[in-house]
Amino acid sequence: MPVGVVVRRLPGVTRWAKWSWKAVALLPGAGPADWSELRREGDAVEYHAATLPLVLWRTDTEAYLHALGARVPTVAVVMRPTTDPQRPLDVFRVTASPYEAQDYQDSGEEIVELVPMTAGLRAWVQDFCDRHHEHEPFVKRRRGPRMEMREEDGKGDSRVRQISDVYRAPRPKERLQ
């Protein structure tokens, strides 16, 4: 589904940042846009920065259900700063998966903003999950028979010759020349 991203520009609160940028809204089914100005109130300006596809995958339904179960279901907008004054941010990804959003946050290279889902997006994602989600039961991992048959004498590494020093690194074998 094509989703438009609305980005708000506010004056910076410190002398080091002239502007503060934040993704504030989504426009489901929006047409193409390239930093079109939507609204201006004093120094605050809102732009329709980009329209990107919101793609849902059958294998990620668990993540989508996790996002829908949150107090405020959100969509993550991933942006990168640029040096172009006409396009200060490169809005390059929109995802409904909180796990994918966390991966982008871990790198520290991108700006990840969580924007609340509209009622229509929530219904669309919920419908997708209802059709494609397959519950995977929890299976506790058990030791195999090979692990149970193994004998352990408690002396540590069997390659170490001295019993008194079980934490010493093994010596390399002498080479014949």
Side-chain angles (χ1 to χ4, degrees):
M1 170 185 288
V3 177
V5 178
V6 178
V7 176
R8 181 180 295 148
R9 180 188 77 180
L10 294 170
V13 293
T14 66
R15 61 181 168 180
W16 295 279
K18 185 174 181 180
W19 301 108
S20 169
W21 299 91
K22 183 172 175 82
V24 292
L26 300 172
L27 306 170
D34 188 25
W35 289 92
S36 306
E37 187 174 321
L38 295 176
R39 182 171 60 173
R40 181 182 292 269
E41 291 180 17
D43 288 336
V45 182
E46 289 186 353
Y47 297 96
H48 182 184
T51 299
L52 301 168
L54 176 61
V55 180
L56 301 180
W57 303 96
R58 292 178 188 196
T59 55
D60 289 344
T61 55
E62 180 186 346
Y64 306 145
L65 289 172
H66 184 76
L68 291 170
R71 190 174 348 137
V72 178
T74 58
V75 170
V77 177
V78 185
M79 305 175 283
R80 288 187 182 129
T82 66
T83 56
D84 184 7
Q86 300 298 324
R87 292 172 189 81
L89 294 172
D90 176 25
V91 182
F92 71 94
R93 187 88 169 120
V94 177
T95 179
S97 170
Y99 305 157
E100 185 179 358
Q102 184 177 359
D103 290 342
Y104 280 111
Q105 286 175 331
D106 287 344
S107 74
E109 303 265 330
E110 292 85 12
I111 301 166
V112 179
E113 295 284 343
L114 299 178
V115 181
M117 282 188 198
T118 62
L121 274 179
R122 250 192 330 263
W124 184 65
V125 173
Q126 184 65 54
D127 180 54
F128 182 85
C129 291
D130 290 344
R131 284 187 286 126
H132 298 290
H133 182 67
E134 295 177 12
H135 179 70
E136 293 182 27
F138 175 76
V139 178
K140 185 172 181 176
R141 185 177 66 108
R142 299 185 184 272
R143 287 183 179 216
R146 183 178 171 148
M147 291 295 288
E148 292 170 5
M149 301 300 285
R150 211 167 120 193
E151 238 179 84
E152 293 186 26
D153 58 3
K155 293 183 181 175
D157 193 348
S158 61
R159 298 173 292 176
V160 178
R161 293 186 188 143
Q162 296 178 357
I163 295 175
S164 63
D165 191 5
V166 295
Y167 297 108
R168 189 178 75 201
R171 293 181 185 163
K173 293 185 180 183
E174 295 179 20
R175 294 184 181 184
L176 297 174
Q177 293 181 348

